[in-house]
Amino acid sequence: MMPGPLKRTLWQVIKMFSASQSSKAQFLDKARQAREERRELKERERAAVQVQALIRRFLCRCRLQREIRREVEDFFGANESVSSKRSALSVFRIARKLLFVFNHKEDKERFEKLCRCILNSMDAENEPKVWYVSLALSKDLTLLWIKQIKDILWFCCEFLKQLKPDILQDSRLVNLHLTMLVTFTDTSTWKILRGKGETLRPAMNHICANIMGHLNQKGFYSVLQILLTNGLARSRPSLSKGSLTAIFSLALRPVVAAQFSDNLLRSFLIHIMSVPAIMTHLATLTPERLAVIESHDLFRKFVLFLSREAQCRDVCVCLEGSHTLCLLGNLVYLGSLNDRVLEEETAHFVGVLIHMLSYCQKYVSQKKSNLTHWHPVLGWFSQTVDYGLNESMPLLTKQLQHLWGVHMIRILFSDVLSKKLLENQEIAQLPTQPVSPQNSLPMKNLFKRAFQKSASVRNILKPVGGKRVDSAEVQKVCSICVLYQTTLTTLTQIRLQILTGLTYLDDLLPKLWAFICELGPQGGLKLFLECLNNDTEESKRLLAMLMLFCDCSRHLITILDDIEVYEEQISFKLEELVTISSFLNSFVFKMIWDGIVENARGETLELFHSVHGWLMVLYERDCRRRFAPEDHWLRKDLKPSVLFQELDKDKKRAQLLLQYIPHVIPHKNRVLLFRNMVTKEKEKLGLVETSSASPHVTHITIRRSRMLEDGYEQLRQLSQNAMKGVIRVKFVNDLGVDEAGIDQDGVFKEFLEEIIKKVFDPALNLFRTTSGDERLYPSPTSYIHENYLQLFEFVGKMLGKAVYEGIVVDVPFASFFLSQLLGHHHSVFYSSVDELPSLDSEFYKNLTSIKRYDGDISDLGLTLSYDEDVMGQLVCHELVPGGKTIPVTNENKISYIHLMAHFRMHTQIKSQTAALISGFRSIIKPEWIRMFSAPELQRLISGDNAEIDLEDLKKHTVYYGGFHGSHRVIIWLWDILAHDFSPEERAMFLKFVTSCSRPPLLGFAYLKPPFSIRCVEVSDDQDTGDTLGSVLRGFFTIRKKEPGGRLPTSSTCFNLLKLPNYSKKSILREKLRYAISMNTGFELS
């Protein structure tokens, strides 16, 4: 154990030691803090000194800048009258000081004064020390002067980028800075080089080249592009003649100085030639510049530079779509001014345009999306569109129009147009319908062109072959056709303008057809069919020629009226249209039947639609007014049985044939196909009687006195399938008593016929008749009826039901209305003017006389409106918004004609037609009737317009009441119909029995119920049907009494002729003729 005192001493020692350790740590901490405080103090002192130095330096710099700027202002402000006398050295020194402190915002006015001072010095006469450029001759100052002038000129460029030429103050500054650039990039205005100074010119030119090189490196062409775009990309240019001249001269100097090197040509094309319509502005404001371009043969150099594919692609990629189009417009405009170069460099020029258009085409989209923008020439465009260019688009379009203008077409198509269509050469011609004599009617512009018929009589152009497709001539024409075809598919918004331009020359299309006829060893069809199977560039070019021919010809025939096509035979003779249509028909058929269309994509599909479109325009024109021989459109090598078998197997080619060219199938076979389609649908819907099931029957009761009202009320509520199904009718007479008779389709047939007779009666004002041939179309004033649109829908259903059941009804429709029923009016090739004669031939003549009016049409006082007498009140219909205040002029008269025709045939009856079509299509599917033309649809509704085949009728007649085929009354009847009755009387007889004067399309075998004749002994009110006694008496010709005073009657609902057992043939003839002429009969049995 340690003693207690010792323990305390040890503890004290330990405590003292720990206390000393603690005080040491505190001491060290305090020392560290003191060091940090001293360091921070030094840092603050150093920072304060640095800040003070910076502030002193800043203040010094500001003071120096103020002093320099004051000195500059004093220099320019002192005695301005002698400013032009200042020495060049003093100007140089003050310029160095200004450039040393130069700030764009603060020194704008001082820089302007400096530029004016320098320019004034250059204008001094015979004072070398004043000329600013004289410093370039000083050994000590040359390099400094060159550096200074480079800086000054680039500052001029910087200002030019920011200035707006349409502002007056800015336009003055533009002129100032441009003058500086013009003065010091060329030695021609330097007075120092006059006289003895001429020896210095090479050295000075070298200095100018050095300056230009410096500016180019800094982006000189970009500056000029911005300035030109700001001043020219608008509806009215804001650049003056002097400014534009200066800019273009500046732009041309580096190119000329570099002897048209590729680099400089590239910059010039990208930055200058891509400015919208710059060539047009040069021609308008400063035509002397165009002469400079011609003197340097720049157009040829541009074309040859761009003819190298890599360089052309590089330029297009740099410019993107919109500006590539601007460059193209300027090149086309230059081409229109340089005939000689265009003729010599046609191949290169065409190749360049194709490449540029193809580049733009890559971004042309078919529809709007989040990735597309609207372009006024290209349509939906998948690149960003510079909307600042929109104001200049009209000028760009005018430039592009030179490409399809007469002048350039004559140059490019010179090989085709130089061919003469030889006269009096004996070539076999196809048989055609007789052509009406030509009229020498006065012609006027159509889309601002005057169509004129060639005076010479030429051969009918038919494929003859003989020209090698690999010849230079053919390849050149193919390239030109590719160019125009690419133009059509790229410049989508002005497509109609292009087509109108290409069809301006009457002889281009016939000569192009003659050229096509000569191609290959056998000509025409075989060559182009081979091209379809060859995926070579040569084949594509040949097909592009065919495609262009089809597109242009289709457009031409669409805009020509009947007089121009049939009488004046503009561009094509009718016999040539026959030959062309035969070629097209075969080509389209082969494309479909050989399976090419099934897998077609891209260009092949476009070709098909182009050829098919031209074919259908000709076919529809022929349907409306024939120019081709009978059976011209049929394919003799197509067996209907084979087609029907393939349709049953759902073969694609058979479906496509039916969709695109059903006219190659005989009409009767198409009707048979239609009936098969209806039968198949009936079977599918369970509407056909079978051994295991009966179809659902809808029963309706109709009051004879209110047939239309009751039929409308009871049938309009039926479902679509119920309307297609069996409907049984029971008539109630005026006393409310059910009429005798059981409906086995016959009563419904009578009901349907009576309904149709009532609704189509013009007195009801649901329909009107056309002037002349009195054909039916919806009445524009039918809106006076309550629920008139529902009525039209009901009429459509009744008409559809009649066609569905094969019941022919004598309802002659106007041709234009049948076209609408078929949906033809939605086609882009549909022309209201062509259909107008079917509505009002007199009105059509009046409108076409406006087109041919030689004088100023505005003298007639017409406006874009139509005045109509509506139930005693004059109503003005505006054809366009505000039309009654817009006069008809020579410029808009074609639009007026089309607007007027469209209004009369579509706008006025739009809602009525839509309602009727809706009802009709609820029964008849649109695709079922698309295989018929308008006249064929009329025959489907109203039966065949051919003469009645009595043998066919006799073969399918059923006899009752003792009559039989060898009965003497029946023999007399057929003999009277065959030999005593005229065709008109035979038609009246058929209408007397069946209510329709036309036979069924497929013959009397398809007449439902079948045509029947019954021997009757008593009047209809006493007739109780056949009995054993009546049948025996009829069979053995035993009469209760002579029926000589009685007339034949009929029951149209059963297609039944009730014929008394006459004793003499003469009595039968007399009574029958009287009965059919007085229209007796038509009662229910």
Side-chain angles (χ1 to χ4, degrees), residues 774-785:
E774 295 190 344
R775 293 184 165 268
L776 294 160
Y777 69 98
S779 170
T781 56
S782 55
Y783 57 79
I784 62 172
H785 290 281

Side-chain angles (χ1 to χ4, degrees), residues 696-701 714-715 718 726-730 743:
H696 172 73
V697 178
T698 302
H699 294 276
I700 60 172
T701 303
Q714 294 187 55
L715 293 179
L718 293 183
V726 179
I727 300 173
R728 298 289 186 223
V729 178
K730 180 171 281 295
D743 186 2

Side-chain angles (χ1 to χ4, degrees), residues 864 879-880 894-904 907:
L864 295 182
L879 303 179
V880 294
I894 298 299
S895 295
Y896 169 73
I897 291 167
H898 283 269
L899 286 169
M900 184 68 85
H902 187 267
F903 176 79
R904 287 290 308 274
T907 310

